[in-house]
Amino acid sequence: MKKWLAAVLMITVLIIAGCSNDSGGVSTENSTIQKALKEKKLVIGMSTGYFPFDMKNPNGDFVGYDADTAEALAKALGVEIEYKQFTFDGLIPALQTGEVDMVFAGMTIRGDRALAVSFANPYFQTGQAVMLPGSDTATKTWQDLDVAGKKIAVGIGTTGALLAKDVFKNAEVMDFENFPDAAAALAAGKADGIVYDEPAIAVWKLQNGDKVRQLEGLISTENLGIALKKNDFETIQWVNSFLNSYLGSPAELASREKWFETSDWLGDVVEE
């Protein structure tokens, strides 16, 4: 009996030893962090057109709150950044296939997305709002738009699109490649409203003045997260540690003030 117990304990020890490593038992063989450190480069996926998170300046450089956060993360890791641009619905497939290492795109943390990728802790809280033509003074709530014949524009693959298709039972929900295209449809009279993230709508209002109007209140609230390779636990842990030190720091507060509390930068970015 003692020999049997000793044999079981030995097998258990061997199993634990085989699973353990310097990272405390978490495999780092396919870690994005280890790959980035080895290659001295981090490949970031973005989808521009989401103001003020993801934009480009006239030189083609990626700018915005997400770019500031990505640059701070890369600096903390001691690597360079290579940006790759995708349509929003192409970002998760790019992460899954290894074309990018991380996704910074103002992406809402959702259960369906978490089946395909992993998320670091939230780095920003926002919500879905409704934007109307400035000439529409009659609409008071989003429910006023949910009637037959009304058209709601959304960005394909966004949380706003998913939400609109769930809550609007009578109005027609129309997909567009991005928010600027949806806003162009609104301006042309081809849509009666847009459902999108509140910060982007607020910036659009700064740009267009009385041509557009934002409904008071939010349809929903949500957390934004950095998307990482599924179950890459070392990278998740490292990014969370970075966020703990970065959020609320002087650098992050300056970035937040620049992009969300001023409009001086509007002339330095291009619409795509």
Side-chain angles (χ1 to χ4, degrees):
M1 184 70 172
K2 290 182 179 179
K3 290 183 178 180
W4 175 84
L5 180 59
V8 171
L9 290 173
M10 180 60 69
I11 292 171
T12 303
V13 169
L14 289 173
I15 292 173
I16 294 173
C19 294
S20 299
N21 50 44
D22 293 338
S23 64
V26 177
S27 174
T28 62
E29 184 178 354
N30 298 312
S31 164
T32 296
I33 291 296
Q34 297 300 325
K35 172 178 175 287
L37 289 171
K38 181 179 180 180
E39 298 177 356
K40 302 296 183 184
K41 181 178 70 173
L42 196 61
V43 183
I44 301 294
M46 279 192 174
S47 178
T48 56
Y50 181 26
F51 288 40
F53 288 88
D54 308 294
M55 304 166 288
K56 279 185 177 180
N57 63 22
N59 296 325
D61 302 317
F62 288 83
V63 296
Y65 182 78
D66 276 346
D68 284 354
T69 305
E71 296 289 345
L73 184 149
K75 182 179 179 180
L77 193 59
V79 301
E80 300 295 322
I81 284 184
E82 176 186 347
Y83 290 105
K84 290 188 177 182
Q85 181 171 336
F86 299 85
T87 58
F88 189 82
D89 60 343
L91 287 167
I92 286 180
L95 183 60
Q96 291 176 307
T97 59
E99 193 170 352
V100 300
D101 297 322
M102 300 180 183
V103 169
F104 285 72
M107 185 173 286
T108 301
I109 299 173
R110 293 197 325 232
D112 59 327
R113 289 174 178 161
L115 294 174
V117 300
S118 290
F119 286 98
N121 291 338
Y123 69 101
F124 199 93
Q125 187 174 67
T126 182
Q128 295 301 309
V130 176
M131 186 170 78
L132 307 167
S135 58
D136 180 357
T137 59
T139 301
K140 304 302 180 184
T141 68
W142 68 264
Q143 291 92 339
D144 294 339
L145 293 172
D146 191 22
V147 296
K150 294 287 187 179
K151 297 182 179 180
I152 310 301
V154 296
I156 189 170
T158 64
T159 299
L162 188 68
L163 178 66
K165 291 171 183 177
D166 181 51
V167 302
F168 286 93
K169 306 299 183 183
N170 302 299
E172 177 186 356
V173 178
M174 303 187 300
D175 285 316
F176 291 87
E177 185 171 318
N178 51 43
F179 176 65
D181 287 351
L186 185 76
K190 297 178 181 178
D192 300 290
I194 295 176
V195 176
Y196 206 70
D197 289 350
E198 194 277 335
I201 288 179
V203 170
W204 198 265
K205 179 71 171 66
L206 286 175
Q207 290 177 293
N208 293 274
D210 293 337
K211 293 180 181 178
V212 294
R213 179 170 72 91
Q214 179 182 335
L215 278 180
E216 291 187 13
L218 300 174
I219 302 180
S220 69
T221 58
E222 59 226 27
N223 292 310
L224 307 185
I226 301 166
L228 308 169
K229 186 169 62 176
K230 182 71 173 175
N231 294 335
D232 184 353
F233 296 112
E234 184 189 30
T235 302
I236 296 168
Q237 184 180 45
W238 189 90
V239 173
N240 285 342
S241 296
F242 160 76
L243 291 174
N244 285 339
S245 62
Y246 177 69
L247 296 178
S249 69
E252 191 271 335
L253 292 175
S255 175
R256 187 181 291 259
E257 180 180 6
K258 175 181 179 178
W259 300 112
F260 295 98
E261 298 178 21
T262 73
S263 58
D264 299 342
W265 51 268
L266 285 171
D268 299 325
V269 299
V270 295
E271 296 177 13
E272 294 192 344

